[in-house]
Amino acid sequence: MSRPRSVKLAKGLVVPMTGLLLAASVLPGTARAQDSEPQRMTGRVHYVQDGPAAANSGLATGFVVGSTAPAIATSAAAIGYGLFFDLFTGFADTSLTEIGELLDDSYPDEALPVRATHDVTVDFTLEETAPGSNSYSLTKGSVTWSSMTQAEIVYDGGSITDNYSGDGTDSLLPGVDIILVRILPDTSADESGDNRYEFEMDISHPDDTDGLSVWESESAKLTIERAGPDMLVEATTPFGSTRDIGMEPLIEGIFEDERRAISYSASGVILNISKPVDFSNQVPDPLGGGLSVTASVDFSGCTPNITSPEQGERLVYDDGTSGRLSGKGNLSGLPEQFDVNATWEFGPREFDNYDPPDLVGPEVRFRFDELPETNEEFGKYTANVQLDGEAANLCDEVTPVEFELFFPRNAKGNSSGDANWFWYWLQTPARNGVGNIEYAESGPCDEADGYFRPGLSKIFLCDSAANYNVNPVVGITSHYIDNAAVTVLHEDRHRINWDTWGRLPSCTDTDGDGKPDQAPGCKIDTDGDEVPDDVELNPPLTAFPLDPQQYQSCRDIYGHYLLFKGGDEHCIAYWAGAYWPIDSIDEQDWAAPGSQHP
């Protein structure tokens, strides 16, 4: 890709520098695998030039600096205004030659009437041109600049003033903009082992400038205004104005392709140290002012990554009544100068507190002050860092990490006061649509996962329901949220059985044959197993019929008879639990320990 280079300022200064960092892994002679990836590095150059040589625009500046900084007058003359300037000087009480003589007589070089600065920050990423080559070239980067030019020439009867400024940011173009680092082996006579580096930078940026030049005398006035790429020229004389003679004041696009070049090179000894270092140099300018350069190169590259929380990390709320959860985010691999360009993002739910509150920087702490109301607010969360400014231009994008939030299973930090597992699991399909369920810590809880009491239209779950149990009719062990779901089905079947026939009175002998007679509103239960005889012949849910003459006639899925505490009514309850699909809602179990947390 190419772009126009109508360059206004190109001062090639060679500045000796020291303190460039090189990691030992890329020193010449270091053994590396032939198929290894090219090494990368990042860097920043802060380039500040001040004094007349830093000026970039202006009528007065052009008179003072000459060809070093092209004047707006030069641009105007190039499009046919040359004759106009010659005419104007006839009414300005002085000529261009006289102004030049005035400058020579009135201003020594160190006190020229121009104040100017050119402040540029260049951030870049370089990559080895080939593995092991120790030559690095530009892959991406950006340049941010600001400039200011002020000048004033005062003579007897008039004055010429400039006031210009500009700023902006632009991306560097590899292949057009050049930044090179070469690492050279030691060739000194004493073979001291000190490797050397060469640094070369040749870039440019758009010359976006706005401002005004005014040449004023007792009888005439000329204004030249620059607004981005356009120029506006107007003048008045005793005989009229530029408009009177039909000169169009607005000249569009004259500065459209103006660019400003920066050429910079350096060399020195490599310091084999562990951190990048900054180095600064001051170079005087013969016109006054000078050039200051501060640079830093980090051979570790710029590939920031989140080291905390880790991918897949499980964070658990406190097991006390406070129900807090705290965590920390750490970003590594980001050069220090880009700390302000890193902003953390968390989701899908915002935490209650952050430190720092603006989430900016390589480290952040986050906290939930209490357990949430719903089970859906646990689970998968994402941490990401968005880079902006120069970091976004130079560094690789940060890869988001997923982590998970869990509640302490047996603690009671939720708003209900019941055990966390009871509160959150029963918000899932584990509830099985059963309405009236209570948490219990007493009663039969020493020997059962749950219970039902006749006469109460509700069931009770005990803490052991959050552990595991084996269903004897299918021989399957259920754990955690599955066991709670199985227990709900089991205990609710006891309730259904009671409401359907358990509460019915026994039938009586109505015909005098010594046997109870079946009639509406009563039951015949010959074996006393809480299941009416007619139901045992065609029981709900079980795989095999029951025997109305046997208190225990329950068979498992394979047809084997079972012995357990309780009669055939309990067999039907076991079979109810057997219909729960094991592992079907593990992804909704956010207990620790639980189905997703060992």
Side-chain angles (χ1 to χ4, degrees), residues 103-113 287:
L103 292 172
D104 291 340
D105 296 340
S106 304
Y107 299 101
D109 286 346
E110 64 273 12
L112 291 174
L287 297 178

Side-chain angles (χ1 to χ4, degrees), residues 28-323:
T30 302
R32 293 193 304 182
Q34 293 298 315
D35 58 351
S36 62
E37 292 294 324
Q39 298 287 326
R40 300 177 68 203
M41 66 176 75
T42 60
R44 164 173 283 192
V45 173
H46 187 200
Y47 178 104
V48 181
Q49 190 173 20
D50 59 45
N56 71 322
S57 199
L59 185 59
T61 303
F63 291 141
V64 173
V65 182
S67 61
T68 305
I72 275 189
T74 306
S75 299
I79 58 171
Y81 273 67
L83 178 61
F84 166 74
F85 278 105
D86 291 339
L87 294 174
F88 179 81
T89 56
F91 303 103
D93 303 324
T94 189
S95 67
L96 300 178
T97 301
E98 291 171 330
I99 291 176
E101 294 173 351
L102 171 70
L103 292 172
D104 291 340
D105 296 340
S106 304
Y107 299 101
D109 286 346
E110 64 273 12
L112 291 174
V114 177
R115 292 193 309 113
T117 60
H118 183 208
D119 190 313
V120 181
T121 298
V122 183
D123 291 298
F124 55 85
T125 296
L126 308 182
E127 186 173 287
E128 206 170 12
T129 55
S133 67
N134 294 307
S135 178
Y136 299 79
S137 61
L138 180 69
T139 59
K140 57 182 176 179
S142 64
V143 54
T144 301
W145 73 90
S146 62
S147 62
M148 180 276 296
T149 301
Q150 294 178 337
E152 183 179 39
I153 301 172
V154 180
Y155 58 91
D156 188 17
S159 64
I160 308 173
T161 59
D162 294 332
N163 196 338
Y164 292 87
S165 64
D167 60 74
T169 298
D170 194 32
S171 297
L172 298 178
L173 292 180
V176 177
D177 294 300
I178 297 173
I179 299 180
L180 295 173
V181 170
R182 300 181 185 89
I183 309 302
L184 308 175
D186 175 37
T187 57
S188 60
D190 60 0
E191 297 183 351
S192 62
D194 292 332
N195 297 284
R196 299 185 62 81
Y197 69 88
E198 292 180 350
F199 180 87
E200 179 183 344
M201 181 173 71
D202 184 8
I203 67 171
S204 71
H205 65 77
D207 187 26
D208 296 336
T209 300
D210 296 323
L212 184 69
S213 292
V214 179
W215 186 353
E216 191 169 15
S217 70
E218 294 180 357
S219 58
K221 181 178 181 180
L222 168 67
T223 61
I224 303 176
E225 182 178 1
R226 177 174 175 179
D230 304 329
M231 183 171 69
L232 185 69
V233 181
E234 293 192 82
T236 58
T237 71
F239 294 96
S241 67
T242 49
R243 293 179 183 271
D244 295 336
I245 60 175
M247 296 186 69
E248 177 61 41
L250 179 62
I251 308 167
E252 295 182 343
I254 185 173
F255 302 111
E256 187 73 43
D257 296 329
E258 291 290 332
R259 301 188 67 84
R260 192 161 186 178
I262 303 171
S263 296
Y264 180 70
S265 61
S267 62
V269 174
I270 298 167
L271 300 181
N272 184 18
I273 57 178
S274 61
K275 292 184 178 181
V277 293
D278 294 335
F279 42 92
S280 180
N281 297 94
Q282 300 285 337
V283 179
D285 190 289
L287 297 178
L291 174 68
S292 172
V293 178
T294 301
S296 174
V297 178
D298 184 353
F299 280 73
S300 63
C302 185
T303 305
N305 61 90
I306 297 173
T307 56
S308 178
E310 296 179 3
Q311 178 67 30
E313 184 175 352
R314 301 181 179 104
L315 302 180
V316 183
Y317 279 76
D318 295 342
D319 58 6
T321 56
S322 67

